[in-house]
Amino acid sequence: MASFSAVCELDMACNSSGCESGCYDREKDNGSKISVEDAVAGGGNQESVCVKCKCNEPMTFGDGGSDDGRFCAECFRNNVFGKFRLAVTSHAMITPSDNVLVAFSGGSSSRVALQFVHELQIKALKNYEASRDRSLPVFGVGVAFVDETAAFPALSTETVDASEWIRSTVSSLSPPAKDLHVVPVESVFGSDSLDARDRLVKLLDSVPDDTGKEDLLLHLKMLTLQKVASENGYNRLVVGSCTSRIASHVLSATVKGRGYSLSADIQHVDARWKVPIVLPLRDCVRLEITRLCHLDGLKTVELACRSQCGINDLVSSFVALLQEENPSRECTIVRTAAKLTPFYFNKIPETDDSNVPMATQRRLKRFNLKYDGSMTTEAFCPICNGPLNRSDSSDLDTFEEGQEADVLYAACCSSCRFQILPEDGSYLEQFSSFLPDHMISQVKHQKVDSQAHLREKIKDCLLLDDEEVV
């Protein structure tokens, strides 16, 4: 019986657009011949059949998408799943020895991500049970939902209903069973729930800019997911960000002045975090995902938590308008941004794990991003975790003990300084007291690293303890 990796590779070759075996071209040629013969015989129209299988009737969604009326239901689903599987196998996102945590918000993207990961797990389990030696284990899957009630008290009732629906959805999935973690976003501030909630509210209230408040809350949610993953033994965090969302992020990050760190956020893998983040739906647009939820009967729930008046929402509306005019605009934006040089952490760290099949290792070498060594950094913004150029954090070397507020300002990126930190410097100390301890410790650690880097640069000019000045 073929291993999990081999089966994925075989299925990927026949269902994805990147197939190099020529099977699709042969199928295309055969389908064209059949259609011509049918047309000559007076039977059928070439446009009335699926362009992939050449036999089933295509689906008409009526939503104006580029694939409307081209694929039948089965081929459409295989096409979307093929993109997901190609991303997973090409970048070694999930290997048999992994324990994967799926970030689940209840929206269409996270719902499809959970469904696809679940199907991979079922296939791996079948292969494991059918194999003789059972050499490859089955990767584990958990689900995490971040409760934002503390940030949006008006949605407390909706959040409770959403939590119950998520519990029901996860428990209804066929075995293997999946642990569900429902955690409040304020848990990053500590175990004392009352104090943690109070600090969260004060922190968000101290940010007057709507976009800055939204970005800060997004980062707190990511820290919450990282905390859940670390404490429960997960080594991968699956996030359902799709092409549409990434396209909006590309433009919004450009507007905010985050050009240097942009390439870090849009790759398939982001290992700057303690638990690497993977984006298996990066090559799927929102329209495809919404259609798939409709076809498969996957129910979703959306919580309207945001203010709908910040830069992020304006950019999302603009990208949606572009997509209506040209269905390939979102893909074009992401492909263009992907030409930026990635960082060294935009790949799964190398491992000597014997449970990783040789086929997976070969694909990883083939598809992995190439690095020229120029995009390296040891400094990250403590607010958004964006990578910083060494020159941007050079001011850290000038501060002494007791200047924590000034150190925080110097450690942040220019975007966070402008949108999140208080304009009046006298409020910086109070603002820093509201931040999670993780952010404060990161600032202190970054300052120590900066001093070590400076000492390394001037070591030839320093005197040793037993040396005298001439």
Side-chain angles (χ1 to χ4, degrees), residues 198-249:
D198 183 60
R199 287 177 64 181
L200 173 64
V201 172
K202 289 181 178 179
L203 177 62
L204 295 178
D205 288 343
S206 64
V207 181
D209 183 77
D210 289 331
T211 304
K213 185 178 299 186
E214 181 182 339
D215 291 346
L216 177 59
L217 182 59
L218 182 63
H219 183 57
L220 293 176
K221 288 175 60 179
M222 184 56 66
L223 289 178
T224 304
L225 292 171
Q226 288 287 320
K227 184 173 183 290
V228 172
S230 299
E231 293 178 350
N232 293 276
Y234 296 100
N235 67 331
R236 295 285 188 276
L237 177 59
V238 174
V239 177
S241 296
C242 61
T243 299
S244 305
R245 182 166 184 174
I246 295 175
S248 297
H249 176 73

Side-chain angles (χ1 to χ4, degrees), residues 214-341:
E214 181 182 339
D215 291 346
L216 177 59
L217 182 59
L218 182 63
H219 183 57
L220 293 176
K221 288 175 60 179
M222 184 56 66
L223 289 178
T224 304
L225 292 171
Q226 288 287 320
K227 184 173 183 290
V228 172
S230 299
E231 293 178 350
N232 293 276
Y234 296 100
N235 67 331
R236 295 285 188 276
L237 177 59
V238 174
V239 177
S241 296
C242 61
T243 299
S244 305
R245 182 166 184 174
I246 295 175
S248 297
H249 176 73
V250 168
L251 298 186
S252 62
T254 304
V255 171
K256 298 171 191 174
R258 294 182 178 175
Y260 178 78
S261 62
L262 175 59
S263 62
D265 305 326
I266 62 176
Q267 309 298 336
H268 287 89
V269 177
D270 184 355
R272 85 186 94 164
W273 306 85
K274 184 177 181 179
V275 178
I277 298 172
V278 295
L279 309 179
L281 294 180
R282 176 185 178 271
D283 301 321
C284 302
V285 297
R286 182 180 290 112
L287 186 60
E288 291 177 321
I289 293 173
T290 303
R291 286 176 172 178
L292 185 63
C293 289
H294 175 72
L295 287 175
D296 288 0
L298 301 178
K299 295 182 179 180
T300 61
V301 60
E302 297 285 352
L303 295 175
C305 297
R306 297 183 298 173
S307 61
Q308 307 293 324
C309 60
I311 292 176
N312 299 329
D313 294 290
L314 292 175
V315 170
S316 296
S317 300
F318 174 68
V319 172
L321 180 61
L322 292 178
Q323 184 72 4
E324 290 180 4
E325 297 176 351
N326 186 336
S328 64
R329 288 287 173 84
E330 292 174 339
C331 296
T332 301
I333 293 173
V334 174
R335 282 199 302 267
T336 303
K339 296 182 182 298
L340 295 172
T341 304

Side-chain angles (χ1 to χ4, degrees), residues 22-39 43-59 69-76 78:
C23 58
Y24 178 77
D25 293 333
R26 290 193 297 270
E27 178 181 308
K28 181 177 179 182
D29 293 338
N30 293 336
S32 298
K33 293 178 181 178
I34 294 174
S35 299
V36 170
E37 293 172 358
D38 290 343
N45 184 358
Q46 184 177 359
E47 297 181 355
S48 64
V49 295
C50 171
V51 297
K52 179 69 183 232
C53 65
K54 301 294 189 300
C55 58
N56 295 327
E57 183 178 354
M59 296 284 294
R70 298 182 66 239
F71 294 105
C72 65
E74 182 178 358
C75 289
F76 174 78
N78 289 340

Side-chain angles (χ1 to χ4, degrees), residues 8-20:
C8 287
E9 184 175 18
L10 178 61
D11 291 343
M12 177 187 67
C14 295
N15 287 322
S16 67
S17 57
C19 174
E20 297 180 357

Side-chain angles (χ1 to χ4, degrees), residues 6-7 44 78 96 122 129 139 146 159 184 202 218 222 257 262 296 308 333 346 355 365 368 398 400 413 433:
V7 171
N78 289 340
I122 291 177
E129 293 177 342
F139 65 91
V146 179
T159 303
K202 289 181 178 179
L218 182 63
M222 184 56 66
L262 175 59
D296 288 0
Q308 307 293 324
I333 293 173
N346 286 132
N355 287 323
K365 292 181 179 180
N368 230 344
T398 63
E400 304 295 336
C413 65
S433 66

